[in-house]
Amino acid sequence: MSKYWNSTVKQLQPYVPGEQPKDMKYIKLNTNESPYPPSPRVLEAISEGNNGTLRLYPDPNTDNLRNVVAEYYDIDKDEVFVGNGSDEVLAFSFMTFFSPEKKVLFPDITYSFYKVYAKLLNLDTEIIPLDEEFNIPIEKLCKNSGGVVLANPNAPTSKEVSIDDIKRILESNRDNVVIVDEAYIDFGGASVVNLIKDYDNLLVVQTLSKSRALAGLRVGFALGSKELIEGLNRLKNSINSYTIDRIAIVGAIAAFEDEAYFKELTSKIINTREETIVKLRDIGFKVMDSKANFVFVSHKKMKAEEIFKELRKKGILVRYFNEPRINNFLRITIGTDEEMKTLIEELKNILN
Amino acid sequence: MSKYWNSTVKQLQPYVPGEQPKDMKYIKLNTNESPYPPSPRVLEAISEGNNGTLRLYPDPNTDNLRNVVAEYYDIDKDEVFVGNGSDEVLAFSFMTFFSPEKKVLFPDITYSFYKVYAKLLNLDTEIIPLDEEFNIPIEKLCKNSGGVVLANPNAPTSKEVSIDDIKRILESNRDNVVIVDEAYIDFGGASVVNLIKDYDNLLVVQTLSKSRALAGLRVGFALGSKELIEGLNRLKNSINSYTIDRIAIVGAIAAFEDEAYFKELTSKIINTREETIVKLRDIGFKVMDSKANFVFVSHKKMKAEEIFKELRKKGILVRYFNEPRINNFLRITIGTDEEMKTLIEELKNILN
């Protein structure tokens, strides 16, 4: 604590990302990265962009990238906002659409950055408890308050919310923005992107970090009505005109242009996930049905924290959250088939 | 205006960066970029980093880069904060150290993003008018208020503040943070980096966009006491854990490692600046003494706006600010010798 920090910073509880240890080589199943590299076309595009033009500022409006994303989703460029990873996009969205005088609603078990943003902005929140099976009680989000934030599929539970349920939430929040965080949508979930034409209060947030294997490049985006996107641009342009560097812009464009690679990569991960779920259940794990690139599991015989520690000793990192209700669960990212085979073997050793 | 924007966003007056037109090839002297490319070692490092590891998140603490910057300035890693360009670093600094209940002081003529940040954060400000020669009346910043922001050299005036004057400001602001924005310090100004050991209220902000020719890569940094840097990290980690991508990290490290190139590049620009100042004065311009990579000029015979428009027609972009007190001035970035020769020729044509 320092006398120079303002009162907001003094009370912050910053987000803690999954560890990125440097002491040895791990099988990294703890931060939901892709086990496969990005498209070769991304690397080519970066290679082409790696030249003297780096002396020049990037396009502050990232028009070329927004055009490509808009075309991909069959919407307008003015319905696309691009940011430095979906975390920045989410933070800017909270800053643009939510106010301290009205409560923002989100589930108790969800992406833990939401409550960090709320603290940062001194927002009042209403935390909606998931039911015993970690389903979201939709009716509790169907009231006109100060805004809703929903991860779909939810993290770390991996569970999906149906489009009809999201419509219900949107209908009953006509005066508020509903943020649907689709960071994991490309692994089998049903996106609500098409609803932005019907609901000017819907903001869909996605990222290139997971399904496009570009966590290292920092590009996320939001899709929504022109007025929502204009609000985000006003906010961004009051903080930093150029949040995406020249390299990230060309890399992200190339990622959207290689649809075949994207489909192949996400299919592989979905297949591995389904096989992994069967194998985990075979050795006694309770595993939620997953629409994400991770699974959320617990085991009757051994505490999650213990399994986490034992796996770490074996060189396998998974994510353990020491938080109420989920402190006996592990979030395990889907790796390659080889990595998951090693995981299952080590789990068998640990559990025996 | 949208009903979905909160009251802060509704009253924002976002920063407008210099134009980046795509209609034709210009001699670009409007955004203070380097006319020379970044070090070849930067391009090599990016080339090496352009591989499958882009699937992985960057180091959220940017330890390697912070170590290199710390070594360069002979300070500790914990005295270095890295951000997505100095604009983000400045925004985060305003968010961390300033409070609505106390006035923040900065000059009337200075980097126009400061007042944008103040609006964003609903900060009360006391705007200190520069004197007729655009010098900063130091004594007016020497009072214990809510913080001070000072660009040194100042933009767009290009004028330097002495280290002794900054010491006076620091002494009389022992309870507040004094931000010294040294975006242009490498072009002949005297940095106050060495003072961070003596003043725990001093935050020095620098950028790789100008003197290291990397505007396109988005890396800036702040140097200050550990407690100031810890505050910035708390704030950053409540918005976005990873603001610098893997490519920008390795590129920035390489830029700091090629000191010879850096010295050569800044010397060339300083030489060109001094020659340009003489030539501009020869053709009747009033030119401020400059310690930056730009000059601030006016002409008795022709209005700045008119010169700006005429230069644009000739394919030369300079910066014109249609703002009180400086609306008869132009800010001209120092380009290559060749570019400045063309500028002088075209100015002669326009003025005849």
Side-chain angles (χ1 to χ4, degrees):
Chain A
M1 210 65 82
S2 158
K3 70 171 175 178
Y4 297 120
W5 304 352
N6 63 27
S7 55
T8 300
V9 170
K10 279 180 183 154
Q11 56 86 51
L12 285 179
Q13 292 169 354
Y15 180 75
V16 180
E19 54 183 337
Q20 306 276 3
K22 297 160 190 164
D23 58 333
M24 59 171 271
K25 202 168 158 52
Y26 288 93
I27 294 181
K28 239 182 132 281
L29 308 176
N30 68 327
T31 50
N32 296 343
E33 290 145 333
S34 169
Y36 304 108
S39 156
R41 285 173 63 175
V42 170
L43 304 187
E44 276 166 39
I46 292 176
S47 185
E48 278 168 33
N50 180 26
N51 57 46
T53 62
L54 287 174
R55 73 182 177 85
L56 301 170
Y57 283 103
D59 172 9
N61 303 315
T62 59
D63 279 341
N64 292 345
L65 175 54
R66 289 165 72 205
N67 275 325
V68 167
V69 175
E71 203 177 322
Y72 188 87
Y73 288 105
D74 194 21
I75 57 178
D76 195 274
K77 186 196 76 174
D78 294 335
E79 295 169 323
V80 179
F81 175 82
V82 174
N84 185 283
S86 60
D87 285 345
E88 186 187 80
V89 175
L90 287 164
F92 286 2
S93 302
F94 272 62
M95 292 181 194
T96 302
F97 305 119
F98 300 153
S99 303
E101 64 270 17
K102 288 202 283 182
K103 281 184 183 175
V104 177
L105 315 183
F106 51 83
D108 62 341
I109 301 168
T110 191
Y111 185 36
S112 47
F113 229 132
Y114 304 155
K115 64 172 189 277
V116 176
Y117 301 138
K119 272 268 185 205
L120 172 69
L121 302 167
N122 296 304
L123 296 176
D124 203 3
T125 56
E126 184 175 338
I127 306 296
I128 310 295
L130 300 189
D131 71 17
E132 286 308 303
E133 288 301 308
F134 293 165
N135 294 309
I136 298 174
I138 299 301
E139 69 286 357
K140 294 196 177 147
L141 297 172
C142 291
K143 58 180 167 193
N144 196 355
S145 58
V148 175
V149 191
L150 200 67
N152 185 36
N154 196 12
T157 69
S158 77
K159 285 198 157 183
E160 192 186 17
V161 182
S162 75
I163 292 181
D164 279 345
D165 281 344
I166 294 175
K167 271 191 191 169
R168 282 169 58 204
I169 298 169
L170 287 163
E171 289 287 354
S172 44
N173 278 277
R174 283 288 188 182
D175 292 331
N176 320 306
V177 173
V178 176
I179 298 175
V180 180
D181 178 355
E182 294 190 338
Y184 300 103
I185 200 69
D186 294 325
F187 301 101
S191 171
V192 290
V193 167
N194 288 334
L195 297 186
I196 67 169
K197 292 193 197 314
D198 300 322
Y199 297 94
D200 62 3
N201 57 333
L202 168 62
L203 192 79
V204 177
V205 177
Q206 295 195 0
T207 174
L208 278 73
S209 297
K210 320 290 181 184
S211 57
R212 294 181 194 273
L214 284 171
L217 208 59
R218 313 305 304 128
V219 184
F221 54 96
L223 311 171
S225 61
K226 287 177 196 188
E227 57 181 314
L228 297 192
I229 301 306
E230 191 192 337
L232 285 170
N233 276 318
R234 285 173 67 88
L235 194 280
K236 184 211 78 158
N237 289 325
S238 298
I239 291 179
N240 184 5
S241 311
Y242 318 90
T243 56
I244 320 283
D245 63 57
R246 297 180 82 92
I247 296 285
I249 289 174
V250 295
I253 289 172
F256 273 97
E257 287 175 344
D258 195 350
E259 182 68 5
Y261 187 88
F262 166 74
K263 286 243 165 84
E264 185 197 337
L265 195 144
T266 48
S267 304
K268 274 202 280 191
I269 290 168
I270 292 170
N271 286 339
T272 307
R273 178 186 70 207
E274 295 308 312
E275 287 172 17
T276 303
I277 289 177
V278 172
K279 287 177 191 162
L280 285 167
R281 285 177 180 157
D282 278 352
I283 56 173
F285 277 94
K286 179 179 175 182
V287 188
M288 307 264 160
D289 286 335
S290 170
K291 294 283 184 183
N293 69 338
F294 59 86
V295 290
F296 200 53
V297 308
S298 64
H299 201 280
K300 280 176 202 158
K301 283 198 192 155
M302 196 182 275
K303 284 214 188 318
E305 187 171 13
E306 201 176 337
I307 301 173
F308 163 76
K309 285 178 181 167
E310 290 300 317
L311 281 175
R312 202 177 193 292
K313 284 183 201 160
K314 308 281 187 184
I316 300 177
L317 292 180
V318 299
R319 190 89 198 255
Y320 171 69
F321 299 93
N322 193 7
E323 284 169 27
R325 295 192 71 189
I326 57 170
N327 60 9
N328 200 24
F329 285 81
L330 295 175
R331 192 194 69 184
I332 304 175
T333 305
I334 302 301
T336 62
D337 288 330
E338 183 94 6
E339 287 171 334
M340 300 322 272
K341 199 177 150 201
T342 307
L343 170 78
I344 299 290
E345 280 164 13
E346 293 297 354
L347 284 172
K348 282 180 184 168
N349 292 336
I350 290 166
L351 292 164
N352 275 335
Chain B
M1 208 66 83
S2 159
K3 70 172 175 179
Y4 297 121
W5 303 354
N6 62 28
S7 55
T8 300
V9 170
K10 279 180 183 154
Q11 56 86 52
L12 286 179
Q13 292 169 355
Y15 179 76
V16 180
E19 54 183 337
Q20 306 276 0
K22 297 159 190 164
D23 57 334
M24 60 171 269
K25 202 167 159 54
Y26 289 92
I27 293 181
K28 236 180 136 284
L29 308 176
N30 69 327
T31 51
N32 295 345
E33 292 145 331
S34 169
Y36 303 107
S39 157
R41 285 172 64 175
V42 170
L43 304 187
E44 276 166 39
I46 291 176
S47 185
E48 279 168 33
N50 180 26
N51 57 45
T53 61
L54 286 175
R55 73 183 177 84
L56 301 170
Y57 283 102
D59 172 10
N61 303 316
T62 58
D63 278 342
N64 292 345
L65 174 54
R66 290 165 72 204
N67 275 325
V68 166
V69 175
E71 204 176 320
Y72 188 87
Y73 287 105
D74 194 22
I75 57 178
D76 195 274
K77 187 195 75 174
D78 295 335
E79 296 170 322
V80 180
F81 175 81
V82 174
N84 185 284
S86 61
D87 285 344
E88 186 186 81
V89 174
L90 288 164
F92 286 2
S93 302
F94 272 63
M95 292 181 193
T96 301
F97 305 118
F98 300 153
S99 304
E101 63 271 16
K102 287 200 284 182
K103 282 186 183 171
V104 177
L105 317 184
F106 50 84
D108 63 340
I109 300 168
T110 190
Y111 186 34
S112 49
F113 229 131
Y114 305 154
K115 65 172 188 275
V116 176
Y117 302 138
K119 272 268 184 205
L120 172 70
L121 301 167
N122 296 305
L123 297 176
D124 202 1
T125 57
E126 184 175 338
I127 307 295
I128 310 294
L130 301 188
D131 71 16
E132 285 308 302
E133 287 300 309
F134 292 167
N135 294 309
I136 299 175
I138 298 302
E139 68 286 356
K140 293 196 176 146
L141 296 172
C142 290
K143 58 179 166 192
N144 197 355
S145 59
V148 175
V149 192
L150 199 67
N152 185 36
N154 197 12
T157 68
S158 77
K159 285 199 156 183
E160 191 184 17
V161 182
S162 75
I163 292 182
D164 279 344
D165 280 344
I166 293 176
K167 270 190 192 170
R168 283 170 57 206
I169 298 170
L170 286 162
E171 289 288 352
S172 44
N173 278 277
R174 282 288 187 181
D175 292 331
N176 319 307
V177 173
V178 176
I179 298 175
V180 180
D181 178 355
E182 296 190 339
Y184 300 103
I185 199 68
D186 295 325
F187 301 101
S191 172
V192 289
V193 167
N194 288 334
L195 297 187
I196 69 169
K197 294 194 196 313
D198 300 321
Y199 297 94
D200 62 4
N201 58 333
L202 168 62
L203 192 79
V204 177
V205 177
Q206 295 195 0
T207 175
L208 278 73
S209 296
K210 320 290 182 185
S211 56
R212 294 180 196 274
L214 284 171
L217 208 59
R218 315 305 305 130
V219 184
F221 54 95
L223 311 171
S225 61
K226 288 180 193 183
E227 56 182 313
L228 296 192
I229 300 306
E230 190 192 337
L232 284 171
N233 276 317
R234 286 173 67 89
L235 193 280
K236 182 210 78 156
N237 290 324
S238 298
I239 292 179
N240 184 4
S241 310
Y242 318 92
T243 55
I244 319 282
D245 65 57
R246 296 179 82 91
I247 296 285
I249 289 174
V250 295
I253 289 172
F256 273 97
E257 286 174 346
D258 196 350
E259 181 69 3
Y261 187 88
F262 166 75
K263 286 243 166 85
E264 185 196 339
L265 194 144
T266 48
S267 304
K268 273 202 280 192
I269 290 169
I270 292 170
N271 286 338
T272 308
R273 178 187 70 206
E274 295 307 312
E275 286 170 19
T276 303
I277 290 176
V278 172
K279 287 178 193 162
L280 285 168
R281 287 177 178 156
D282 278 351
I283 56 172
F285 278 95
K286 180 180 174 179
V287 188
M288 308 262 160
D289 286 334
S290 170
K291 293 285 185 181
N293 68 339
F294 59 87
V295 289
F296 200 52
V297 308
S298 64
H299 202 281
K300 278 177 205 161
K301 284 198 194 157
M302 194 181 277
K303 283 213 188 317
E305 188 170 13
E306 200 177 339
I307 301 174
F308 163 75
K309 284 177 182 167
E310 290 300 317
L311 282 174
R312 202 177 195 292
K313 285 182 202 161
K314 308 279 187 184
I316 300 176
L317 292 179
V318 300
R319 191 87 198 257
Y320 171 69
F321 299 91
N322 192 5
E323 282 168 29
R325 298 192 70 189
I326 57 170
N327 58 10
N328 201 24
F329 285 81
L330 296 174
R331 192 194 68 186
I332 304 175
T333 306
I334 301 302
T336 61
D337 287 328
E338 183 95 6
E339 287 171 334
M340 300 323 272
K341 199 178 150 200
T342 307
L343 170 77
I344 299 290
E345 280 164 12
E346 292 297 354
L347 283 172
K348 283 180 185 169
N349 292 335
I350 290 166
L351 292 164
N352 276 336

